Amino acid sequence: MKRAVIIGAGPAGLTAGYFLSEAGWKVTIFEADPMYVGGISRTVHYNGFRFDIGGHRFFSKSKEVEEFWQRILGDNLIDRPRMSRIYYRGRFYSYPLKALEALRNLGIIESTFCVMSYLKAKAFPIDNPRSFEDWVINQFGRKLYGIFFKTYTEKVWGMDCKDISADWAAQRIKGLSLASAVKNAVFPPKKGDTTIKTLINSFKYPRLGPGMMWEQCAARIREMSGEVLLGRKVQSCVRSMDGSWQVTAQGESGETSIVSGDDLISTTAIRDLCKMLQPQPDEDATRGADALRYRDFLTVALITKDRLCLPDNWIYVHDPSVKVGRIQNFKSWSPELLPDQNLACYGLEYFCFEGDGVWTSPDSELIRLAAQEMHKLGLLNPDDVLDGCVVRQPKAYPVYDDNYKSNVKAFASEVADRYPTLHLIGRNGMHKYNNQDHAMMTAMLTAKNIIAGKRLYDVWEVNQDAEYHESGEAGQEQALEQAASGLRMVPTRIQHEEPAKARAAAGGR
């Protein structure tokens, strides 16, 4: 029996583990968290309340991903309305944009300046935009960039927008511009229309939070004789001359687990994986991995009396006078996350670096800060706070600085040349700031590659819409055959209607 070892029980690791198990492989997944699967998509339990580590919409342009969610969750996957707003200068702005509301809130003079700035940007765009700032100014104009992008983005990343790669903006705000936002406000899309992902107005969501998906996925893997081992931190990954792997993990009490596998799949941060590998990667790959940076964050969950009955799923806070960057309203994600409908649970997200002053603050101070800032924003009376909980999330966001792409390429090239049975997938595994559907697609295609015994798909070509490029017609046909006989997943979509998107990743871009 073929065997695979997977580092990390997040969406990517569990998806890969599921499809390999279904194809008859023996799978062992090591997860460092002692309690939860799901990674950053887990659902934390606290005194009967459940909350996300950030909100996780279940929306994808990939039919395979959506059908996998449905297969695991069934009727537990419910439809939820999407409502998000931006808080700026004491006012709320709906997002997607509502033109009349935005004009009223900004005022006629500032609105005029925004339009003039946008027209100027379109007439005289910045050539070869290098930074996030350049890219957004080209799309929206300098005035709107300063209002709706700069403050929030710098809170998230802890760095100047001039130092953030334009790649991040192109990936996360793909297809969106002032013109498209206004068009969406004046002419709402009809059912069946192609809608920019940022502007969707509904999504699916597990009734007990995203962790429900991944807890059930882990249970299915165990039912297929796979192992999902919690509280096990991988220490080393030793590659033998025949290409097989011996992976050593340590438990919380110091016990050691050693598992061998024909293939190794990693969803852990590249910087950490590089230190685990034996033999060691070459100097260029090691230097590139060490140079990769990550942004961390923590969630302060406040349990309160529900006086305001806020309808938002989340609120982006663009006010520089408070530290909070985003506020989740978990009752609007799903009422079943709360045991008492007379209460509310808000998740205040603070972006930081592991070890800095915010990260190391005592939980009691963070809960007090969150209550004070909710009051300052006019969203809460501090006396209404009944309880609170703090959850820290290291390496939440891979940083897109000027050199990230070359650093990732140095390591990925070494893996392809020297460790052909090592597969990098998921957000941290590939150092790509993606959503869970994107991470899942990299896992699905990697499972196909492993089962076939060769690379049918280049997972690095999976884009933010969870679409992908097939490696030639032969690769397409063989992948479909594998899917039908061994993988038993939804047949791969061959995008004949969009040949530019479906051109060969290996045979002719």
Side-chain angles (χ1 to χ4, degrees):
M1 177 183 289
K2 290 283 192 176
R3 183 160 195 160
V5 183
I6 301 173
I7 305 174
L14 288 170
T15 299
Y18 180 93
F19 286 113
L20 287 172
S21 296
E22 198 174 51
W25 282 57
K26 175 68 175 177
V27 170
T28 298
I29 303 176
F30 288 120
E31 170 54 52
D33 193 300
M35 294 181 62
Y36 299 105
V37 296
I40 200 171
S41 296
R42 68 191 182 277
T43 298
V44 173
H45 300 213
Y46 177 76
N47 288 346
F49 291 80
R50 299 168 184 262
F51 52 89
D52 293 10
I53 310 305
H56 293 273
R57 293 179 292 171
F58 280 57
F59 171 83
S60 178
K61 291 184 178 180
S62 165
K63 181 180 178 182
E64 293 89 346
V65 168
E66 293 212 327
E67 292 198 6
F68 181 51
W69 285 332
Q70 191 68 49
R71 185 194 309 184
I72 298 295
L73 290 168
D75 292 340
N76 289 315
L77 192 61
I78 58 177
D79 289 308
R80 298 300 298 161
R82 176 197 191 276
M83 179 176 179
S84 59
R85 290 187 288 177
I86 294 169
Y87 182 91
Y88 172 71
R89 289 187 182 176
R91 295 181 181 272
F92 287 100
Y93 294 77
S94 297
Y95 195 80
L97 176 68
K98 292 183 179 178
L100 293 179
E101 176 193 74
L103 288 171
R104 182 175 62 250
N105 283 351
L106 286 172
I108 189 65
I109 294 175
E110 190 160 23
S111 296
T112 301
F113 282 139
C114 288
V115 173
M116 296 297 290
S117 176
Y118 170 73
L119 294 175
K120 180 181 177 181
K122 289 303 171 186
F124 306 101
I126 298 169
D127 292 333
N128 301 316
R130 182 192 63 83
S131 68
F132 176 90
E133 179 175 291
D134 295 343
W135 193 94
V136 175
I137 288 172
N138 277 356
Q139 292 293 106
F140 295 90
R142 188 172 295 275
K143 186 69 175 176
L144 281 173
Y145 158 74
I147 293 173
F148 292 120
F149 293 92
K150 180 176 171 62
T151 298
Y152 179 77
T153 302
E154 291 183 352
K155 273 188 187 181
V156 171
W157 295 104
M159 55 196 291
D160 194 294
C161 287
K162 293 184 174 121
D163 297 324
I164 301 171
S165 171
D167 291 351
W168 184 80
Q171 178 176 311
R172 300 300 293 186
I173 321 174
K174 183 178 180 181
L176 183 63
S177 68
L178 178 62
S180 62
V182 171
K183 179 181 177 182
N184 187 78
V186 178
F187 303 106
K190 298 177 182 178
K191 186 175 182 181
D193 288 353
T194 299
T195 305
I196 295 163
K197 195 172 192 176
T198 313
L199 299 177
I200 62 169
N201 54 23
S202 67
F203 57 89
K204 292 188 180 295
Y205 187 78
R207 62 183 184 84
L208 296 178
M212 186 181 197
M213 166 72 195
W214 302 114
E215 289 158 13
Q216 293 192 20
C217 186
R220 297 277 188 94
I221 292 170
R222 291 179 175 123
E223 289 170 3
M224 292 184 283
S225 301
E227 298 176 301
V228 183
L229 306 177
L230 303 184
R232 309 293 177 90
K233 188 172 183 179
V234 173
Q235 304 294 314
S236 66
C237 305
V238 180
R239 180 177 179 270
S240 303
M241 293 294 292
D242 63 0
S244 63
W245 293 90
Q246 182 173 280
V247 180
T248 302
Q250 189 172 63
E252 289 185 287
S253 58
E255 74 276 16
T256 297
S257 301
I258 302 175
V259 176
S260 297
D262 299 283
D263 286 81
L264 173 63
I265 299 174
S266 175
T267 72
T268 197
I270 286 175
R271 193 170 70 189
D272 295 337
L273 175 65
C274 186
K275 296 180 175 66
M276 302 173 188
L277 292 176
Q278 298 178 28
Q280 283 284 303
D282 67 22
E283 187 176 340
D284 287 343
T286 300
R287 188 185 303 112
D290 287 344
L292 293 174
R293 302 165 59 200
Y294 305 85
R295 184 68 162 161
D296 315 291
F297 88 109
L298 57 83
T299 294
V300 182
L302 294 181
I303 297 166
T304 76
K305 298 175 185 176
D306 192 11
R307 296 187 190 275
L308 287 180
C309 299
L310 288 171
D312 307 78
N313 304 108
W314 67 93
I315 298 169
Y316 296 107
V317 182
H318 289 227
D319 190 332
S321 70
V322 293
K323 292 182 178 179
V324 63
R326 185 170 61 176
I327 301 168
Q328 304 287 344
N329 178 15
F330 295 116
K331 183 185 282 188
S332 286
W333 284 89
S334 172
E336 293 189 59
L337 297 177
L338 282 68
D340 186 340
Q341 296 305 301
N342 294 314
L343 302 179
C345 183
Y346 301 108
L348 282 77
E349 297 176 8
Y350 291 88
F351 305 97
C352 50
F353 289 110
E354 189 174 359
D356 70 12
V358 173
W359 182 271
T360 58
S361 294
D363 288 3
S364 58
E365 288 186 14
L366 290 168
I367 292 169
R368 185 163 51 252
L369 171 67
Q372 290 171 349
E373 294 199 335
M374 285 285 281
H375 177 61
K376 185 172 185 177
L377 296 172
L379 300 178
L380 188 68
N381 186 326
D383 294 337
D384 288 343
V385 177
L386 305 176
D387 199 357
C389 175
V390 178
V391 178
R392 292 168 176 82
Q393 178 61 48
K395 295 184 177 66
Y397 307 116
V399 171
Y400 281 27
D401 55 25
D402 280 344
N403 299 315
Y404 92 96
K405 190 176 289 186
S406 60
N407 291 329
V408 171
K409 183 178 181 181
F411 185 79
S413 296
E414 171 77 345
V415 167
D417 293 340
R418 194 173 183 187
Y419 312 97
T421 52
L422 169 59
H423 312 273
L424 308 179
I425 63 172
R427 175 181 286 197
N428 279 336
M430 303 174 75
H431 203 84
K432 281 191 173 185
Y433 185 173
N434 53 44
N435 296 325
Q436 70 170 336
D437 63 323
H438 173 281
M440 291 168 64
M441 182 58 77
T442 65
M444 290 177 174
L445 300 182
T446 292
K448 289 184 177 183
N449 288 344
I450 290 173
I451 293 165
K454 62 182 179 179
R455 194 187 81 166
L456 301 172
Y457 300 95
D458 182 356
V459 299
W460 293 94
E461 293 295 328
V462 176
N463 67 27
Q464 185 57 28
D465 291 325
E467 295 168 348
Y468 53 92
H469 301 256
E470 294 85 356
S471 297
E473 292 296 327
Q476 295 172 8
E477 292 170 3
Q478 188 167 359
L480 287 170
E481 182 179 344
Q482 291 289 341
S485 61
L487 199 54
R488 298 197 301 279
M489 64 183 289
V490 179
T492 305
R493 290 182 302 161
I494 306 303
Q495 301 174 343
H496 295 300
E497 73 279 11
E498 294 185 84
K501 290 185 178 179
R503 64 184 181 268
R509 294 178 192 167

